[in-house]
Amino acid sequence: MEKVEYNLDQVDLQILRIMQQNARTNNADIARELGMAPSAILERVKKLEHKSVILDYHTQINPDALDQKMLSFIFIKSHDNIGDQRVGLLLAKIPEVLEVHDIAGDDGYLIKVRTSDSGGLVDLMRNTLSQIEGIISTRTTIVLETVKESHKLVIPNS
Amino acid sequence: MEKVEYNLDQVDLQILRIMQQNARTNNADIARELGMAPSAILERVKKLEHKSVILDYHTQINPDALDQKMLSFIFIKSHDNIGDQRVGLLLAKIPEVLEVHDIAGDDGYLIKVRTSDSGGLVDLMRNTLSQIEGIISTRTTIVLETVKESHKLVIPNS
DNA sequence: TCTGAAACACGCGAAGG
DNA sequence: CCTTCGCGTGTTTCAGA
């Protein structure tokens, strides 16, 4: 892993705070709030994108509206050795698999999966997961209801 | 739970597909891509927001840049009865707790937590989680590395 | 790294089919 | 539900401090 210096100052943090709250806030509004010229904000945002501090601008869509009512977490034990992520990378390619985390303790992964319903989950496990070589076992946890789903990080005051 | 009709047509799905890819794409660009007038797009986007199909515009920030290198999932058993979410709602109020899911089978919740490091996690569990009445036990899974973290839903072709 | 000017492009509401 | 039109405003580049 490479050492990267991000060197964010107060103004950067304020920009991030505003944009995390609403990614569509325009430069002019941010500039007014911070008492700066819009072009200065533009420059900083471009830099934050280049430094990979800002990774993406994303529209959060209601899963129900797209008929993806089912959310599950699946623990997957694999033959992957430490540092190897062959199975993890294959899992990451599946569109319904939104997250893949390499976890401690179990030689395994935790993945987050959205499907239309339980049938969709069964299909995914039968048709897609079972095709991946090196999976030893799975344990599925089904979400009944999501109380909170935020992507907003805690941004420090300094 | 109320029955809601979303009634999304092809144009709506295309708009969602574009905006999910980049929330900052402007109406004019979307209009060009779909061969429509910008104001028609504006109208539809507003409607999608009102119908809660679009929930949020969010800037995804690199957690490393904000010194939040530690990600954990914690299973929490509680005294909450079915349909009751007292503990869940209290968990949801904690800023470091990004997600709270009511899960099947264990009278419990699965939460996703970001902290600066393992010390931050210990602090959270000692100082904050332990203050919540009704938690019976916790089981923590530590993420060593995240292979994929997307928030993009699969948008159907029709 | 900022400001300010200038050219260009977009947002967004009105009016109409 | 769409288009066209128009004014006010935002975006972006560049020179200069």
Side-chain angles (χ1 to χ4, degrees):
Chain A
M1 192 154 68
E2 303 148 43
K3 178 73 181 174
V4 188
E5 275 304 326
Y6 293 106
N7 281 326
L8 306 180
D9 66 13
Q10 292 293 344
V11 176
D12 290 324
L13 292 177
Q14 293 197 68
I15 292 174
L16 291 175
R17 217 172 278 128
I18 293 168
M19 305 237 319
Q20 186 176 237
Q21 218 55 41
N22 180 2
R24 299 203 105 192
T25 310
N26 62 39
N27 292 334
D29 280 345
I30 299 175
R32 269 189 288 273
E33 196 158 337
L34 303 189
M36 293 170 67
S39 47
I41 304 296
L42 179 67
E43 240 176 47
R44 277 172 178 268
V45 170
K46 287 249 155 90
K47 220 177 222 171
L48 290 169
E49 291 170 355
H50 268 104
K51 289 198 285 188
S52 292
V53 174
I54 291 176
L55 299 177
D56 200 7
Y57 301 105
H58 160 255
T59 299
Q60 190 177 349
I61 299 172
N62 188 337
D64 283 4
L66 295 178
D67 255 315
Q68 306 198 10
K69 299 191 175 34
M70 177 112 193
L71 176 62
S72 338
F73 289 88
I74 308 178
F75 285 90
I76 294 183
K77 283 200 192 181
S78 82
H79 280 122
D80 281 6
N81 293 313
I82 294 174
D84 178 16
Q85 295 188 324
R86 202 186 55 82
V87 169
L89 294 173
L90 289 172
L91 291 169
K93 287 190 184 159
I94 305 169
E96 289 88 351
V97 174
L98 299 183
E99 302 185 17
V100 178
H101 304 283
D102 193 343
I103 60 177
D106 273 316
D107 315 324
Y109 297 95
L110 174 58
I111 68 176
K112 179 176 175 179
V113 177
R114 272 192 200 281
T115 52
S116 54
D117 51 25
S118 59
L121 178 62
V122 172
D123 285 352
L124 186 88
M125 296 188 70
R126 278 223 194 101
N127 303 329
T128 312
L129 288 191
S130 68
Q131 303 289 6
I132 297 179
E133 294 273 335
I135 291 182
I136 298 171
S137 66
T138 67
R139 195 179 78 246
T140 303
T141 294
I142 287 172
V143 172
L144 299 176
E145 192 174 356
T146 293
V147 181
K148 176 179 186 177
E149 182 166 31
S150 165
H151 311 302
K152 290 171 182 152
L153 304 182
V154 178
I155 300 185
N157 280 324
S158 58
Chain B
M1 191 155 69
E2 302 149 42
K3 177 73 182 175
V4 188
E5 275 305 325
Y6 293 106
N7 279 327
L8 306 181
D9 66 11
Q10 291 293 344
V11 176
D12 289 324
L13 292 177
Q14 293 198 67
I15 292 174
L16 290 175
R17 216 173 277 129
I18 293 169
M19 304 236 321
Q20 186 175 237
Q21 219 55 41
N22 180 1
R24 298 203 106 191
T25 310
N26 60 40
N27 293 333
D29 280 345
I30 299 175
R32 269 188 289 273
E33 196 160 336
L34 303 189
M36 293 169 67
S39 45
I41 305 295
L42 178 67
E43 241 176 46
R44 278 172 176 268
V45 171
K46 287 254 154 87
K47 221 179 222 170
L48 290 170
E49 291 170 355
H50 269 104
K51 289 197 285 188
S52 292
V53 174
I54 292 176
L55 298 176
D56 199 7
Y57 301 104
H58 159 254
T59 299
Q60 190 177 351
I61 298 173
N62 188 339
D64 282 4
L66 294 179
D67 256 314
Q68 306 199 9
K69 298 190 175 37
M70 178 113 193
L71 177 61
S72 336
F73 289 88
I74 309 178
F75 284 90
I76 295 183
K77 282 199 192 181
S78 82
H79 279 123
D80 281 6
N81 293 312
I82 293 174
D84 179 16
Q85 295 189 325
R86 203 185 54 82
V87 169
L89 293 172
L90 290 171
L91 291 168
K93 287 190 185 159
I94 306 169
E96 290 89 351
V97 174
L98 300 183
E99 302 185 16
V100 177
H101 304 282
D102 193 342
I103 59 177
D106 273 316
D107 313 324
Y109 298 95
L110 173 59
I111 68 176
K112 180 177 176 180
V113 177
R114 270 193 202 282
T115 52
S116 53
D117 51 24
S118 58
L121 178 61
V122 171
D123 286 352
L124 186 87
M125 297 189 70
R126 279 222 194 101
N127 303 329
T128 313
L129 288 191
S130 69
Q131 303 289 7
I132 297 179
E133 293 274 335
I135 291 181
I136 298 171
S137 67
T138 66
R139 196 178 77 245
T140 303
T141 294
I142 288 173
V143 172
L144 299 176
E145 192 173 356
T146 293
V147 182
K148 177 180 186 176
E149 183 167 31
S150 165
H151 310 302
K152 290 172 180 148
L153 304 181
V154 178
I155 300 186
N157 280 323
S158 57

